[in-house]
Short mmCIF file of all heavy atoms in Angstrom, two decimals:
data_model
loop_
_atom_site.label_atom_id
_atom_site.label_comp_id
_atom_site.label_asym_id
_atom_site.label_seq_id
_atom_site.Cartn_x
_atom_site.Cartn_y
_atom_site.Cartn_z
N TRP A 426 94.85 19.54 126.04
CA TRP A 426 94.13 19.99 127.23
C TRP A 426 93.26 21.22 126.97
O TRP A 426 92.59 21.71 127.87
CB TRP A 426 95.12 20.25 128.36
CG TRP A 426 96.15 19.17 128.49
CD1 TRP A 426 97.49 19.35 128.63
CD2 TRP A 426 95.95 17.76 128.49
NE1 TRP A 426 98.13 18.15 128.72
CE2 TRP A 426 97.20 17.14 128.63
CE3 TRP A 426 94.83 16.93 128.37
CZ2 TRP A 426 97.37 15.76 128.67
CZ3 TRP A 426 95.00 15.55 128.40
CH2 TRP A 426 96.25 14.99 128.55
N LYS A 427 93.28 21.72 125.74
CA LYS A 427 92.50 22.91 125.40
C LYS A 427 91.27 22.61 124.54
O LYS A 427 90.54 23.52 124.18
CB LYS A 427 93.37 23.94 124.67
CG LYS A 427 94.55 24.43 125.47
CD LYS A 427 94.12 25.19 126.69
CE LYS A 427 95.32 25.72 127.45
NZ LYS A 427 94.97 26.31 128.72
N LEU A 428 91.04 21.32 124.22
CA LEU A 428 89.88 20.99 123.39
C LEU A 428 88.62 20.96 124.25
O LEU A 428 88.63 20.54 125.40
CB LEU A 428 90.07 19.64 122.70
CG LEU A 428 91.24 19.54 121.72
CD1 LEU A 428 91.23 18.19 121.02
CD2 LEU A 428 91.23 20.66 120.72
N SER A 429 87.53 21.41 123.65
CA SER A 429 86.24 21.44 124.35
C SER A 429 85.41 20.22 123.96
O SER A 429 85.74 19.49 123.02
CB SER A 429 85.48 22.70 123.96
OG SER A 429 85.09 22.63 122.59
N THR A 430 84.31 20.04 124.66
CA THR A 430 83.36 18.97 124.31
C THR A 430 82.92 19.15 122.87
O THR A 430 82.86 18.18 122.11
CB THR A 430 82.14 19.01 125.26
OG1 THR A 430 82.61 18.84 126.61
CG2 THR A 430 81.13 17.93 124.92
N GLU A 431 82.63 20.38 122.48
CA GLU A 431 82.19 20.64 121.10
C GLU A 431 83.28 20.27 120.09
O GLU A 431 82.99 19.69 119.05
CB GLU A 431 81.79 22.10 120.93
CG GLU A 431 81.25 22.38 119.54
CD GLU A 431 80.71 23.79 119.39
OE1 GLU A 431 80.49 24.49 120.41
OE2 GLU A 431 80.51 24.19 118.24
N ASP A 432 84.53 20.59 120.40
CA ASP A 432 85.63 20.21 119.51
C ASP A 432 85.65 18.69 119.30
O ASP A 432 85.85 18.21 118.19
CB ASP A 432 86.99 20.62 120.09
CG ASP A 432 87.19 22.11 120.16
OD1 ASP A 432 86.71 22.83 119.26
OD2 ASP A 432 87.85 22.56 121.13
N LEU A 433 85.44 17.96 120.39
CA LEU A 433 85.52 16.50 120.32
C LEU A 433 84.39 15.91 119.50
O LEU A 433 84.63 15.09 118.62
CB LEU A 433 85.53 15.91 121.74
CG LEU A 433 86.72 16.32 122.61
CD1 LEU A 433 86.57 15.76 124.02
CD2 LEU A 433 88.03 15.87 121.98
N TRP A 434 83.13 16.29 119.79
CA TRP A 434 82.04 15.67 119.03
C TRP A 434 82.03 16.12 117.58
O TRP A 434 81.67 15.36 116.69
CB TRP A 434 80.68 15.81 119.70
CG TRP A 434 80.07 17.17 119.83
CD1 TRP A 434 80.02 17.91 120.97
CD2 TRP A 434 79.40 17.94 118.83
NE1 TRP A 434 79.38 19.10 120.73
CE2 TRP A 434 78.98 19.14 119.42
CE3 TRP A 434 79.11 17.75 117.48
CZ2 TRP A 434 78.30 20.13 118.74
CZ3 TRP A 434 78.43 18.73 116.80
CH2 TRP A 434 78.03 19.91 117.41
N ARG A 435 82.45 17.35 117.33
CA ARG A 435 82.55 17.80 115.93
C ARG A 435 83.59 16.97 115.17
O ARG A 435 83.41 16.61 114.03
CB ARG A 435 82.91 19.28 115.84
CG ARG A 435 81.77 20.20 116.07
CD ARG A 435 82.19 21.65 115.79
NE ARG A 435 81.11 22.55 116.09
CZ ARG A 435 80.08 22.79 115.28
NH1 ARG A 435 80.00 22.18 114.13
NH2 ARG A 435 79.13 23.63 115.65
N TRP A 436 84.70 16.66 115.87
CA TRP A 436 85.76 15.92 115.21
C TRP A 436 85.31 14.51 114.84
O TRP A 436 85.37 14.12 113.69
CB TRP A 436 87.01 15.87 116.09
CG TRP A 436 88.09 15.06 115.46
CD1 TRP A 436 88.93 15.45 114.45
CD2 TRP A 436 88.42 13.70 115.73
NE1 TRP A 436 89.76 14.43 114.09
CE2 TRP A 436 89.47 13.34 114.87
CE3 TRP A 436 87.93 12.76 116.63
CZ2 TRP A 436 90.04 12.08 114.88
CZ3 TRP A 436 88.51 11.50 116.65
CH2 TRP A 436 89.56 11.18 115.78
N TYR A 437 84.85 13.73 115.81
CA TYR A 437 84.52 12.34 115.46
C TYR A 437 83.22 12.24 114.68
O TYR A 437 82.99 11.26 113.98
CB TYR A 437 84.58 11.38 116.64
CG TYR A 437 83.45 11.42 117.64
CD1 TYR A 437 82.22 10.86 117.38
CD2 TYR A 437 83.65 11.98 118.89
CE1 TYR A 437 81.20 10.88 118.31
CE2 TYR A 437 82.65 11.99 119.83
CZ TYR A 437 81.43 11.44 119.54
OH TYR A 437 80.43 11.45 120.47
N GLY A 438 82.40 13.26 114.74
CA GLY A 438 81.18 13.26 113.93
C GLY A 438 81.41 13.70 112.50
O GLY A 438 80.60 13.45 111.61
N SER A 439 82.54 14.36 112.25
CA SER A 439 82.80 14.90 110.91
C SER A 439 83.50 13.92 109.98
O SER A 439 83.62 14.18 108.80
CB SER A 439 83.65 16.17 111.02
OG SER A 439 84.96 15.83 111.42
N VAL A 440 83.97 12.83 110.51
CA VAL A 440 84.68 11.87 109.67
C VAL A 440 83.63 10.98 109.00
O VAL A 440 83.28 9.92 109.49
CB VAL A 440 85.69 11.03 110.49
CG1 VAL A 440 86.55 10.19 109.57
CG2 VAL A 440 86.56 11.94 111.33
N SER A 441 83.11 11.48 107.85
CA SER A 441 81.98 10.82 107.20
C SER A 441 82.32 9.44 106.66
O SER A 441 81.44 8.62 106.46
CB SER A 441 81.43 11.70 106.09
OG SER A 441 82.44 11.93 105.12
N SER A 442 83.60 9.16 106.44
CA SER A 442 83.98 7.85 105.91
C SER A 442 83.97 6.78 107.01
O SER A 442 84.05 5.59 106.71
CB SER A 442 85.35 7.91 105.26
OG SER A 442 86.33 8.27 106.22
N TRP A 443 83.86 7.18 108.28
CA TRP A 443 83.85 6.22 109.37
C TRP A 443 82.44 5.68 109.57
O TRP A 443 81.46 6.42 109.54
CB TRP A 443 84.32 6.85 110.66
CG TRP A 443 85.79 7.15 110.71
CD1 TRP A 443 86.70 7.06 109.70
CD2 TRP A 443 86.53 7.59 111.85
NE1 TRP A 443 87.94 7.42 110.13
CE2 TRP A 443 87.87 7.75 111.44
CE3 TRP A 443 86.18 7.87 113.15
CZ2 TRP A 443 88.86 8.17 112.31
CZ3 TRP A 443 87.17 8.30 114.02
CH2 TRP A 443 88.49 8.44 113.61
N SER A 444 82.34 4.40 109.81
CA SER A 444 81.06 3.78 110.11
C SER A 444 80.64 4.16 111.53
O SER A 444 81.46 4.65 112.32
CB SER A 444 81.19 2.26 110.01
OG SER A 444 82.07 1.78 111.01
N ALA A 445 79.39 3.90 111.86
CA ALA A 445 78.92 4.19 113.22
C ALA A 445 79.74 3.42 114.26
O ALA A 445 80.12 4.00 115.28
CB ALA A 445 77.43 3.88 113.35
N PRO A 446 80.05 2.13 114.05
CA PRO A 446 80.89 1.45 115.04
C PRO A 446 82.28 2.10 115.18
O PRO A 446 82.83 2.14 116.28
CB PRO A 446 81.00 0.02 114.51
CG PRO A 446 79.76 -0.18 113.71
CD PRO A 446 79.50 1.17 113.08
N SER A 447 82.83 2.62 114.08
CA SER A 447 84.14 3.29 114.16
C SER A 447 84.04 4.58 114.95
O SER A 447 84.92 4.91 115.75
CB SER A 447 84.68 3.58 112.76
OG SER A 447 84.98 2.37 112.10
N ARG A 448 82.96 5.34 114.74
CA ARG A 448 82.76 6.57 115.52
C ARG A 448 82.55 6.25 117.00
O ARG A 448 83.03 6.95 117.88
CB ARG A 448 81.60 7.38 114.96
CG ARG A 448 81.96 8.10 113.66
CD ARG A 448 80.93 9.12 113.23
NE ARG A 448 79.57 8.61 113.16
CZ ARG A 448 79.05 7.94 112.13
NH1 ARG A 448 79.79 7.70 111.07
NH2 ARG A 448 77.81 7.53 112.16
N LYS A 449 81.84 5.15 117.26
CA LYS A 449 81.63 4.73 118.66
C LYS A 449 82.97 4.37 119.29
O LYS A 449 83.24 4.71 120.44
CB LYS A 449 80.68 3.54 118.71
CG LYS A 449 80.37 3.08 120.11
CD LYS A 449 79.34 1.99 120.12
CE LYS A 449 79.05 1.62 121.57
NZ LYS A 449 77.76 1.06 121.75
N ASN A 450 83.82 3.68 118.55
CA ASN A 450 85.15 3.32 119.03
C ASN A 450 85.98 4.58 119.29
O ASN A 450 86.70 4.67 120.28
CB ASN A 450 85.83 2.40 118.02
CG ASN A 450 87.02 1.69 118.60
OD1 ASN A 450 87.05 1.30 119.75
ND2 ASN A 450 88.03 1.50 117.76
N ALA A 451 85.86 5.57 118.39
CA ALA A 451 86.58 6.83 118.57
C ALA A 451 86.11 7.53 119.84
O ALA A 451 86.93 8.05 120.61
CB ALA A 451 86.38 7.74 117.36
N ARG A 452 84.80 7.52 120.08
CA ARG A 452 84.27 8.13 121.29
C ARG A 452 84.82 7.42 122.53
O ARG A 452 85.20 8.05 123.51
CB ARG A 452 82.75 8.08 121.31
CG ARG A 452 82.15 8.73 122.55
CD ARG A 452 80.64 8.49 122.63
NE ARG A 452 80.11 9.04 123.85
CZ ARG A 452 80.13 8.41 125.03
NH1 ARG A 452 80.67 7.21 125.15
NH2 ARG A 452 79.63 8.99 126.11
N SER A 453 84.89 6.09 122.48
CA SER A 453 85.44 5.32 123.61
C SER A 453 86.89 5.70 123.87
O SER A 453 87.30 5.85 125.03
CB SER A 453 85.32 3.82 123.34
OG SER A 453 83.98 3.43 123.27
N ALA A 454 87.67 5.83 122.81
CA ALA A 454 89.08 6.21 122.96
C ALA A 454 89.19 7.60 123.58
O ALA A 454 89.99 7.82 124.51
CB ALA A 454 89.78 6.18 121.60
N ILE A 455 88.40 8.53 123.09
CA ILE A 455 88.42 9.90 123.60
C ILE A 455 88.02 9.94 125.07
O ILE A 455 88.66 10.60 125.89
CB ILE A 455 87.51 10.80 122.74
CG1 ILE A 455 88.13 11.00 121.35
CG2 ILE A 455 87.24 12.13 123.42
CD1 ILE A 455 87.17 11.60 120.33
N CYS A 456 86.95 9.22 125.42
CA CYS A 456 86.49 9.21 126.81
C CYS A 456 87.53 8.57 127.73
O CYS A 456 87.74 9.03 128.85
CB CYS A 456 85.15 8.47 126.92
SG CYS A 456 83.77 9.39 126.21
N SER A 457 88.18 7.52 127.25
CA SER A 457 89.23 6.89 128.06
C SER A 457 90.38 7.87 128.29
O SER A 457 90.85 8.04 129.43
CB SER A 457 89.75 5.63 127.34
OG SER A 457 90.89 5.12 127.99
#
């Protein structure tokens, strides 16, 4: 409950081994 928007996008954007669809899926999970 203490993570910010910046924490979230930095996290899923920093996983360079993930493909764009994987990052999109991560964003969906986070938003849900």
Side-chain angles (χ1 to χ4, degrees):
W426 315 133
K427 299 295 182 188
L428 298 185
S429 68
T430 301
E431 184 174 346
D432 293 325
L433 298 175
W434 66 256
R435 281 187 184 280
W436 177 78
Y437 76 77
S439 70
V440 188
S441 60
S442 62
W443 288 8
S444 65
S447 293
R448 285 191 308 277
K449 182 175 182 155
N450 196 36
R452 181 188 176 277
S453 295
I455 290 167
C456 288
S457 172

